Amino acid sequence: MDTISDYSLHIKNIIITEQEIKEAVARTGKLIDEMYDGTPILLVSILKGAFIFLADLARAVTVPCEIAFMAAKSYYSGTESTENVSVTLDIDRDISGYNVIIVEDIIDTGRTLKKIAEMLRQRDPFSLKIITLLDKPSRRAVDFSADISLFTIDDLFVIGYGLDLDEKFRNLPYIAEYQE
């Protein structure tokens, strides 16, 4: 079994520090407060990668918010996304009339989030916005972009702050480039 000390063997370099993440999440929370001005929102986390980002973002907003979860995947093993996107957990409520904000960890090819956004738009939310912690536009395979991206990164395989490789490294408090 790998331990936290074993993790350092797989970190090429830290590309976004814990402090940089905290500052960006705080700024985004204030922006959401300004955008919705007291109007309730529904934060929808895409599991598993976005759960840490969602928790911090939910604490950074002051507007009333509810939380829901969805799960989808296009990575089945390893470091390459596939074209096969499957939704493995759907929202368990009617979202019509909600101001919905999809909270995502990373937009890579864009396939997964585009599919989820299309599904949710068909459910008649009052509004739908997408916030991603990381955006990797050089990898985009479909025409898709977030409303808010906290960080834009190069074409690197990254781990930490919820992002994983085969379920490992999610608990790192920063974003690091993975090294085999």
PDB file of all heavy atoms in Angstrom, residues 40-44 64-68 91 93-95 98-102:
ATOM      1  N   PRO A  40     -30.840  32.046  -4.076  1.00  0.00           N
ATOM      2  CA  PRO A  40     -30.324  30.698  -3.806  1.00  0.00           C
ATOM      3  C   PRO A  40     -29.748  30.021  -5.046  1.00  0.00           C
ATOM      4  O   PRO A  40     -30.200  30.255  -6.170  1.00  0.00           O
ATOM      5  CB  PRO A  40     -31.557  29.936  -3.308  1.00  0.00           C
ATOM      6  CG  PRO A  40     -32.507  30.983  -2.865  1.00  0.00           C
ATOM      7  CD  PRO A  40     -32.251  32.181  -3.730  1.00  0.00           C
ATOM      8  N   ILE A  41     -28.759  29.173  -4.816  1.00  0.00           N
ATOM      9  CA  ILE A  41     -28.116  28.423  -5.888  1.00  0.00           C
ATOM     10  C   ILE A  41     -28.078  26.940  -5.528  1.00  0.00           C
ATOM     11  O   ILE A  41     -28.213  26.570  -4.365  1.00  0.00           O
ATOM     12  CB  ILE A  41     -26.682  28.929  -6.159  1.00  0.00           C
ATOM     13  CG1 ILE A  41     -25.811  28.822  -4.895  1.00  0.00           C
ATOM     14  CG2 ILE A  41     -26.696  30.344  -6.712  1.00  0.00           C
ATOM     15  CD1 ILE A  41     -24.340  29.180  -5.096  1.00  0.00           C
ATOM     16  N   LEU A  42     -27.895  26.123  -6.550  1.00  0.00           N
ATOM     17  CA  LEU A  42     -27.675  24.696  -6.374  1.00  0.00           C
ATOM     18  C   LEU A  42     -26.304  24.386  -6.944  1.00  0.00           C
ATOM     19  O   LEU A  42     -26.078  24.535  -8.150  1.00  0.00           O
ATOM     20  CB  LEU A  42     -28.749  23.875  -7.102  1.00  0.00           C
ATOM     21  CG  LEU A  42     -28.559  22.352  -7.106  1.00  0.00           C
ATOM     22  CD1 LEU A  42     -28.637  21.783  -5.683  1.00  0.00           C
ATOM     23  CD2 LEU A  42     -29.587  21.679  -8.014  1.00  0.00           C
ATOM     24  N   LEU A  43     -25.372  24.009  -6.082  1.00  0.00           N
ATOM     25  CA  LEU A  43     -24.036  23.614  -6.508  1.00  0.00           C
ATOM     26  C   LEU A  43     -24.060  22.117  -6.803  1.00  0.00           C
ATOM     27  O   LEU A  43     -24.435  21.320  -5.940  1.00  0.00           O
ATOM     28  CB  LEU A  43     -23.008  23.906  -5.416  1.00  0.00           C
ATOM     29  CG  LEU A  43     -22.831  25.367  -5.018  1.00  0.00           C
ATOM     30  CD1 LEU A  43     -21.870  25.473  -3.829  1.00  0.00           C
ATOM     31  CD2 LEU A  43     -22.328  26.199  -6.187  1.00  0.00           C
ATOM     32  N   VAL A  44     -23.672  21.749  -8.009  1.00  0.00           N
ATOM     33  CA  VAL A  44     -23.671  20.350  -8.423  1.00  0.00           C
ATOM     34  C   VAL A  44     -22.223  19.921  -8.621  1.00  0.00           C
ATOM     35  O   VAL A  44     -21.554  20.374  -9.546  1.00  0.00           O
ATOM     36  CB  VAL A  44     -24.469  20.130  -9.725  1.00  0.00           C
ATOM     37  CG1 VAL A  44     -24.396  18.670 -10.152  1.00  0.00           C
ATOM     38  CG2 VAL A  44     -25.914  20.574  -9.549  1.00  0.00           C
ATOM     39  N   PRO A  64     -27.516  31.681  -0.156  1.00  0.00           N
ATOM     40  CA  PRO A  64     -28.053  30.372   0.236  1.00  0.00           C
ATOM     41  C   PRO A  64     -27.739  29.343  -0.859  1.00  0.00           C
ATOM     42  O   PRO A  64     -27.893  29.636  -2.041  1.00  0.00           O
ATOM     43  CB  PRO A  64     -29.558  30.604   0.338  1.00  0.00           C
ATOM     44  CG  PRO A  64     -29.730  32.087   0.430  1.00  0.00           C
ATOM     45  CD  PRO A  64     -28.557  32.705  -0.255  1.00  0.00           C
ATOM     46  N   CYS A  65     -27.267  28.173  -0.449  1.00  0.00           N
ATOM     47  CA  CYS A  65     -26.974  27.164  -1.464  1.00  0.00           C
ATOM     48  C   CYS A  65     -27.364  25.774  -0.988  1.00  0.00           C
ATOM     49  O   CYS A  65     -27.360  25.488   0.200  1.00  0.00           O
ATOM     50  CB  CYS A  65     -25.513  27.205  -1.893  1.00  0.00           C
ATOM     51  SG  CYS A  65     -24.314  26.637  -0.694  1.00  0.00           S
ATOM     52  N   GLU A  66     -27.730  24.983  -1.961  1.00  0.00           N
ATOM     53  CA  GLU A  66     -27.960  23.571  -1.760  1.00  0.00           C
ATOM     54  C   GLU A  66     -26.887  22.837  -2.551  1.00  0.00           C
ATOM     55  O   GLU A  66     -26.254  23.428  -3.435  1.00  0.00           O
ATOM     56  CB  GLU A  66     -29.355  23.170  -2.248  1.00  0.00           C
ATOM     57  CG  GLU A  66     -30.475  23.816  -1.455  1.00  0.00           C
ATOM     58  CD  GLU A  66     -31.851  23.423  -1.972  1.00  0.00           C
ATOM     59  OE1 GLU A  66     -32.020  22.280  -2.437  1.00  0.00           O
ATOM     60  OE2 GLU A  66     -32.749  24.276  -1.906  1.00  0.00           O
ATOM     61  N   ILE A  67     -26.715  21.571  -2.253  1.00  0.00           N
ATOM     62  CA  ILE A  67     -25.670  20.797  -2.904  1.00  0.00           C
ATOM     63  C   ILE A  67     -26.261  19.505  -3.446  1.00  0.00           C
ATOM     64  O   ILE A  67     -27.093  18.867  -2.800  1.00  0.00           O
ATOM     65  CB  ILE A  67     -24.528  20.497  -1.905  1.00  0.00           C
ATOM     66  CG1 ILE A  67     -23.846  21.814  -1.512  1.00  0.00           C
ATOM     67  CG2 ILE A  67     -23.532  19.504  -2.474  1.00  0.00           C
ATOM     68  CD1 ILE A  67     -22.820  21.685  -0.412  1.00  0.00           C
ATOM     69  N   ALA A  68     -25.815  19.147  -4.642  1.00  0.00           N
ATOM     70  CA  ALA A  68     -26.198  17.874  -5.257  1.00  0.00           C
ATOM     71  C   ALA A  68     -24.951  17.267  -5.892  1.00  0.00           C
ATOM     72  O   ALA A  68     -23.946  17.956  -6.093  1.00  0.00           O
ATOM     73  CB  ALA A  68     -27.293  18.095  -6.303  1.00  0.00           C
ATOM     74  N   ILE A  91     -28.450  13.400 -10.496  1.00  0.00           N
ATOM     75  CA  ILE A  91     -29.074  14.227  -9.455  1.00  0.00           C
ATOM     76  C   ILE A  91     -30.412  13.600  -9.076  1.00  0.00           C
ATOM     77  O   ILE A  91     -31.167  13.168  -9.936  1.00  0.00           O
ATOM     78  CB  ILE A  91     -29.281  15.667  -9.950  1.00  0.00           C
ATOM     79  CG1 ILE A  91     -27.941  16.324 -10.211  1.00  0.00           C
ATOM     80  CG2 ILE A  91     -30.080  16.486  -8.942  1.00  0.00           C
ATOM     81  CD1 ILE A  91     -28.045  17.708 -10.803  1.00  0.00           C
ATOM     82  N   ARG A  93     -33.110  15.049  -7.782  1.00  0.00           N
ATOM     83  CA  ARG A  93     -34.181  16.025  -7.573  1.00  0.00           C
ATOM     84  C   ARG A  93     -34.503  16.769  -8.863  1.00  0.00           C
ATOM     85  O   ARG A  93     -33.726  16.773  -9.801  1.00  0.00           O
ATOM     86  CB  ARG A  93     -33.790  17.018  -6.498  1.00  0.00           C
ATOM     87  CG  ARG A  93     -32.671  17.951  -6.958  1.00  0.00           C
ATOM     88  CD  ARG A  93     -32.325  19.016  -5.974  1.00  0.00           C
ATOM     89  NE  ARG A  93     -31.438  18.428  -4.995  1.00  0.00           N
ATOM     90  CZ  ARG A  93     -31.040  19.047  -3.907  1.00  0.00           C
ATOM     91  NH1 ARG A  93     -31.439  20.246  -3.644  1.00  0.00           N
ATOM     92  NH2 ARG A  93     -30.221  18.460  -3.066  1.00  0.00           N
ATOM     93  N   ASP A  94     -35.638  17.422  -8.846  1.00  0.00           N
ATOM     94  CA  ASP A  94     -36.056  18.288  -9.941  1.00  0.00           C
ATOM     95  C   ASP A  94     -35.263  19.591  -9.815  1.00  0.00           C
ATOM     96  O   ASP A  94     -35.266  20.229  -8.766  1.00  0.00           O
ATOM     97  CB  ASP A  94     -37.559  18.556  -9.815  1.00  0.00           C
ATOM     98  CG  ASP A  94     -38.094  19.503 -10.865  1.00  0.00           C
ATOM     99  OD1 ASP A  94     -37.354  19.874 -11.794  1.00  0.00           O
ATOM    100  OD2 ASP A  94     -39.269  19.893 -10.741  1.00  0.00           O
ATOM    101  N   ILE A  95     -34.566  19.982 -10.884  1.00  0.00           N
ATOM    102  CA  ILE A  95     -33.756  21.201 -10.822  1.00  0.00           C
ATOM    103  C   ILE A  95     -34.407  22.373 -11.548  1.00  0.00           C
ATOM    104  O   ILE A  95     -33.811  23.443 -11.634  1.00  0.00           O
ATOM    105  CB  ILE A  95     -32.335  20.967 -11.366  1.00  0.00           C
ATOM    106  CG1 ILE A  95     -32.359  20.614 -12.854  1.00  0.00           C
ATOM    107  CG2 ILE A  95     -31.612  19.915 -10.547  1.00  0.00           C
ATOM    108  CD1 ILE A  95     -30.994  20.718 -13.517  1.00  0.00           C
ATOM    109  N   TYR A  98     -34.110  26.222 -10.476  1.00  0.00           N
ATOM    110  CA  TYR A  98     -32.884  26.467  -9.703  1.00  0.00           C
ATOM    111  C   TYR A  98     -31.851  27.231 -10.541  1.00  0.00           C
ATOM    112  O   TYR A  98     -31.770  27.043 -11.754  1.00  0.00           O
ATOM    113  CB  TYR A  98     -32.222  25.150  -9.291  1.00  0.00           C
ATOM    114  CG  TYR A  98     -32.761  24.518  -8.045  1.00  0.00           C
ATOM    115  CD1 TYR A  98     -33.765  23.561  -8.111  1.00  0.00           C
ATOM    116  CD2 TYR A  98     -32.247  24.839  -6.796  1.00  0.00           C
ATOM    117  CE1 TYR A  98     -34.242  22.947  -6.972  1.00  0.00           C
ATOM    118  CE2 TYR A  98     -32.725  24.237  -5.647  1.00  0.00           C
ATOM    119  CZ  TYR A  98     -33.723  23.292  -5.740  1.00  0.00           C
ATOM    120  OH  TYR A  98     -34.198  22.684  -4.613  1.00  0.00           O
ATOM    121  N   ASN A  99     -31.048  28.040  -9.872  1.00  0.00           N
ATOM    122  CA  ASN A  99     -29.822  28.568 -10.451  1.00  0.00           C
ATOM    123  C   ASN A  99     -28.762  27.504 -10.178  1.00  0.00           C
ATOM    124  O   ASN A  99     -28.304  27.351  -9.051  1.00  0.00           O
ATOM    125  CB  ASN A  99     -29.418  29.892  -9.781  1.00  0.00           C
ATOM    126  CG  ASN A  99     -30.365  31.008 -10.137  1.00  0.00           C
ATOM    127  OD1 ASN A  99     -30.503  31.346 -11.299  1.00  0.00           O
ATOM    128  ND2 ASN A  99     -31.034  31.557  -9.134  1.00  0.00           N
ATOM    129  N   VAL A 100     -28.404  26.761 -11.206  1.00  0.00           N
ATOM    130  CA  VAL A 100     -27.507  25.627 -11.059  1.00  0.00           C
ATOM    131  C   VAL A 100     -26.089  26.036 -11.444  1.00  0.00           C
ATOM    132  O   VAL A 100     -25.872  26.678 -12.472  1.00  0.00           O
ATOM    133  CB  VAL A 100     -27.966  24.443 -11.945  1.00  0.00           C
ATOM    134  CG1 VAL A 100     -26.972  23.294 -11.898  1.00  0.00           C
ATOM    135  CG2 VAL A 100     -29.351  23.970 -11.524  1.00  0.00           C
ATOM    136  N   ILE A 101     -25.141  25.649 -10.600  1.00  0.00           N
ATOM    137  CA  ILE A 101     -23.729  25.838 -10.908  1.00  0.00           C
ATOM    138  C   ILE A 101     -23.066  24.467 -10.857  1.00  0.00           C
ATOM    139  O   ILE A 101     -23.024  23.833  -9.804  1.00  0.00           O
ATOM    140  CB  ILE A 101     -23.036  26.781  -9.910  1.00  0.00           C
ATOM    141  CG1 ILE A 101     -23.704  28.160  -9.921  1.00  0.00           C
ATOM    142  CG2 ILE A 101     -21.543  26.898 -10.234  1.00  0.00           C
ATOM    143  CD1 ILE A 101     -23.158  29.109  -8.860  1.00  0.00           C
ATOM    144  N   ILE A 102     -22.584  24.023 -12.016  1.00  0.00           N
ATOM    145  CA  ILE A 102     -21.823  22.781 -12.055  1.00  0.00           C
ATOM    146  C   ILE A 102     -20.411  23.108 -11.578  1.00  0.00           C
ATOM    147  O   ILE A 102     -19.768  24.037 -12.071  1.00  0.00           O
ATOM    148  CB  ILE A 102     -21.775  22.194 -13.480  1.00  0.00           C
ATOM    149  CG1 ILE A 102     -23.186  21.860 -13.977  1.00  0.00           C
ATOM    150  CG2 ILE A 102     -20.875  20.962 -13.514  1.00  0.00           C
ATOM    151  CD1 ILE A 102     -23.243  21.433 -15.435  1.00  0.00           C
TER     152      ILE A 102
END
